[in-house]
Structures are given as C-alpha cells and as structure tokens.
Amino acid sequence: MAKRDFLSLLDFSFEELDYLIQRGREFRKMHDAGEVYRPLVGKTGALVLQMHSTRTRVAFQAGMAQMGGHAIFLGTADSQLGRGEPIPDFARVLSEMVDIVMIRTHDQAAIETLAEYSTIPVINAMSSLLHPCQLLADIQTFEEKRGSISGATVAFIGDGYNMCHSYINAARQWGFNLKIASPEGYLPDEGILASTNNAQLVETPQEAVAQADLVVTDVWSSMGHEGQEENRREIFAPYQVNEALLDQANGDALFMHCLPAHRGEEVNDTILDDARSVVFQEAGNRLHSQKALMEFLLLGRVGG
Ligand code: CP
C-alpha cells in the first residue's frame, strides 16, 4: 500500500473523506457499545507537539491504545527537533522506528517537509494555516445530528485563521455554503478563499448566521498570537457568539467550537451549554474520527 499523508483536507478525495466520516461514526458506536477492536497491535505512532494540546493528544494516544497500538509523545523539550535537528533527518529516523507520525507545529511547510522525507504516513495535527483533523470531527458531528452537510449553510464567525481555512477547504470538498464574518485585517488567506465558490465573506456576524444550519467560531487569539490579546479583544468584540446571535440562525442550527473556549470573549458564559451547542460531542469525535484516519492510513479501507 502506497503511503498517504493527511496534511490538508485537499489531500483526500470527497469519496475518501466521506468514507472517513462514516467510519468515524462506526468507531463511535463501537466505543459506546464497549466493543474491543485492536487492528493496530504491533504498530507504533509518534506524536510530535510543538504547541499545547488536550484533544488532539488524547485522541492520538487513547486512539492508538484502544486500537492495540502504542503511542510515543515527543514534546519540543523532549526531542532533538527542539534543539534544531533538521526535519529531513528527523523524518528519516522516525520512519526507521515507527509506523505513523502526527505533528503539530506552526509552520505548514515544516509539516510538508516531514511528509516529503518520511516513508510513513504523516498527519497534520494543526499548523497556523490548517487544522484538518478538527474538520473530520466537525463534519462527523454535524452528520450524526443532521445528516449530510452537503448543501447546508455554515457560518464561520471570527478570526480568518487555521480553522477558517480548513472550513473553506471543507466547503470545497463537501459542497456546503460557507459564510465568513471576520474583522478587516483578520480575513482568511485570499488564495484559499479564492479556491472555491462555496465560501464567501460577509460584512457582519448577523449576515453570516442568517439561514445557517451550523454556526462555528474559534478563539480570538490562537497560539502564536501571544501579546496581541488585548488588541484583538477590542477588535473582535462585535463577533461574540451568544444566544442572541444564534437565535438569528435557522431554528435547528447547531453550534460548534473546536475548544478550548474563552468564555467572555468569542463565546459568552452560557452558549456552550445551550441546547444547540454540540461542542462536547464534537470534542469526543476527535477520538473517533482520528481512529478512522489512523486505521485508513495504516491499513487502508476496512472491507476493501
Ligand atoms: N481543538 C483542538 O485541536 O484541541 P487541542 O488544542 O486541545 O488539541
């Protein structure tokens, strides 16, 4: 089986992405039923994190353990990568010892270099540009609750950063309509936006949520924006998602946030607990969707 990487949603066909979503749903059902499924006995994965993580790390480590494999965690302080070992060397060494690697680092180009020099699958655990694994969980969650997302209307409110970019790629792949409300100066990358007719900028959060089936936001200051928090709080203040904004979406609209959330900033104190919020199911689906992804990259499709 030729090695595949998952650095962006655009690395896979729609048909492959849909397979992963359906397989992630099966993983959730198996997990809820207490079914033991250990197809990765003898496999080892390395998780390289150069930024903080809760969901991604637990999904990788718990997912590997639940599937019978083993996960090694390499933080910046733990590996020679943190002391300047060249990525091509790091890639070739890991390829000699483990079966799959997942990496979170700011620089998307570094992840691409890792993939280029690795003979094992590489997963993007988030860069400043993209967060494709989060989108697998988000699409799975929407489809569990509402059926196919193709043709739906999605509102993204806030920073035109990595989550927004991956939502644009998802709109392109799944064929949903994405309306993005971001402040001037914090708009998504022009090239990514121009890559699809399914995503459009709108002027206000109110315009974005009108007729939306799903409303999504993310933190105003991501990792890498340290020192900008006060300025961003002022600029993004009109972009808070709260009940009053969500009331302007479709009656059965869902609310998602990749978490961690900053209550009092991009969300108010109560919206995460609103009946329309599915943020904790979304977080749980990081596990199930990531298991589907790791199984696919290591073993191919189950059932051919
Ligand atoms: N949503 C997400 O990627 O969470 P972590 O940063 O905790 O991994």
Side-chain angles (χ1 to χ4, degrees):
M1 192 173 90
K3 84 119 172 173
R4 298 281 301 278
D5 303 305
F6 186 66
L7 312 186
S8 157
L9 292 171
L10 304 182
D11 288 340
F12 284 14
S13 67
F14 168 72
E15 205 249 336
E16 288 170 330
L17 292 170
D18 186 55
Y19 166 80
L20 288 181
I21 299 304
Q22 305 318 322
R23 187 70 184 139
R25 295 179 69 173
E26 288 171 15
F27 268 110
R28 174 177 270 278
K29 286 181 192 153
M30 288 154 65
H31 185 265
D32 291 350
E35 195 176 318
V36 175
Y37 176 66
R38 296 165 63 85
L40 300 188
V41 171
K43 302 284 188 195
T44 304
L47 176 63
V48 182
L49 291 181
Q50 299 199 306
M51 290 184 262
H52 293 91
S53 170
T54 299
R55 281 141 287 269
T56 306
R57 178 174 178 173
V58 173
F60 185 86
Q61 293 189 291
M64 282 299 284
Q66 289 167 14
M67 291 195 288
H70 182 72
I72 297 169
F73 170 67
L74 292 170
T76 305
D78 307 313
S79 82
Q80 298 289 5
L81 204 57
R83 295 180 61 241
E85 182 168 19
I87 288 176
D89 295 354
F90 183 74
R92 284 178 281 197
V93 170
L94 282 188
S95 298
E96 292 281 334
M97 298 191 196
V98 302
D99 301 287
I100 191 167
V101 58
M102 185 166 191
I103 179 166
R104 171 173 288 189
T105 191
H106 284 290
D107 186 6
Q108 179 78 11
I111 300 177
E112 288 166 8
T113 302
L114 184 72
E116 182 187 344
Y117 286 90
S118 294
T119 56
I120 55 174
V122 174
I123 300 172
N124 179 357
M126 194 182 83
S127 68
S128 298
L129 191 71
L130 298 171
H131 197 358
C133 288
Q134 184 65 48
L135 265 291
L136 294 182
D138 287 19
I139 304 293
Q140 178 177 333
T141 307
F142 185 90
E143 298 208 343
E144 284 171 341
K145 303 292 282 186
R146 297 285 184 265
S148 172
I149 197 167
S150 301
T153 297
V154 178
F156 185 93
I157 313 294
D159 197 6
Y161 198 56
N162 50 13
M163 276 299 297
C164 183
H165 293 156
S166 282
Y167 260 94
I168 295 171
N169 286 344
R172 176 174 164 179
Q173 290 283 45
W174 272 274
F176 59 79
N177 307 307
L178 179 65
K179 295 196 278 181
I180 301 163
S182 305
E184 200 59 44
Y186 299 88
L187 302 176
D189 177 88
E190 282 179 14
I192 296 174
L193 186 64
S195 70
T196 177
N197 291 327
N198 294 345
Q200 55 170 304
L201 299 177
V202 297
E203 293 296 321
T204 63
Q206 289 72 23
E207 199 182 332
V209 302
Q211 298 179 329
D213 302 296
L214 170 64
V215 176
V216 184
T217 191
D218 192 10
V219 293
W220 291 342
S221 295
S222 295
M223 288 179 277
H225 295 150
E226 290 77 13
Q228 302 175 26
E229 292 89 342
E230 201 175 319
N231 188 39
R232 282 172 171 262
R233 270 195 288 274
E234 202 172 305
I235 291 167
F236 280 87
Y239 291 79
Q240 185 185 77
V241 177
N242 50 38
E243 287 81 353
L245 184 67
L246 211 48
D247 286 347
Q248 297 176 54
N250 280 345
D252 64 349
L254 298 173
F255 171 65
M256 292 191 199
H257 187 310
C258 62
L259 303 179
H262 293 179
R263 289 172 175 81
E265 296 189 10
E266 79 278 1
V267 289
N268 68 350
D269 282 345
T270 49
I271 198 69
L272 297 181
D273 301 311
D274 189 275
R276 295 165 286 187
S277 165
V278 288
V279 297
F280 297 109
Q281 181 170 333
E282 178 190 5
N285 278 336
R286 290 299 309 276
L287 171 67
H288 309 300
S289 58
Q290 222 158 282
K291 284 168 77 173
L293 176 62
M294 291 191 285
E295 179 193 55
F296 179 74
L297 290 171
L298 286 168
L299 303 177
R301 285 178 194 239
V302 171

